Amino acid sequence: MQRKILVGAVGGLAGAAVVFGLGTHFLSGTESNTRLSDDTTVSVDGHRALAANIVAGRTESKYHPLPWVGVKITHVSCPSGLKAVAGATLTCTGTKRGGETVDIPVTVVRASATSVTWKFDR
């Protein structure tokens, strides 16, 4: 009887660890798919681009989604919009606790007429 309880407890812990790991993986993603609309786009060098404030806000919210993933940053800003062209890049900046500045490279993974998929590096 005790053996069955032990096996059940170990199985339950293993299951909880898998769910915890998967949750962390999905919540800590650095990729975002954003719709291109009149509210989210600007023009950069004649190209349609995702507005800088949209990129900055989404990056700040995803940079530190869980206490055990990433470093908390605030005041993320991007120098311009992110061109809706695959391979386009820009570097945003954020501030760590204590005032240290962090560079955050951002890259467009793919783009269409209606959306842009982009990612940042932690």
Side-chain angles (χ1 to χ4, degrees), residues 94-107:
T95 306
K96 288 183 183 180
R97 186 179 305 178
E100 182 183 349
T101 301
V102 178
D103 287 338
I104 307 164
V106 179
T107 306

Side-chain angles (χ1 to χ4, degrees), residues 6-55:
L6 179 62
V7 169
V10 169
L13 288 173
V18 167
V19 169
F20 179 79
L22 285 173
T24 296
H25 173 75
F26 289 117
L27 289 173
S28 67
T30 61
E31 189 170 287
S32 182
N33 186 300
T34 309
R35 184 174 57 90
L36 295 172
S37 68
D38 292 340
D39 298 332
T40 63
T41 59
V42 295
S43 179
V44 174
D45 298 331
H47 292 278
R48 204 165 181 198
L50 191 58
N53 65 322
I54 302 294
V55 176

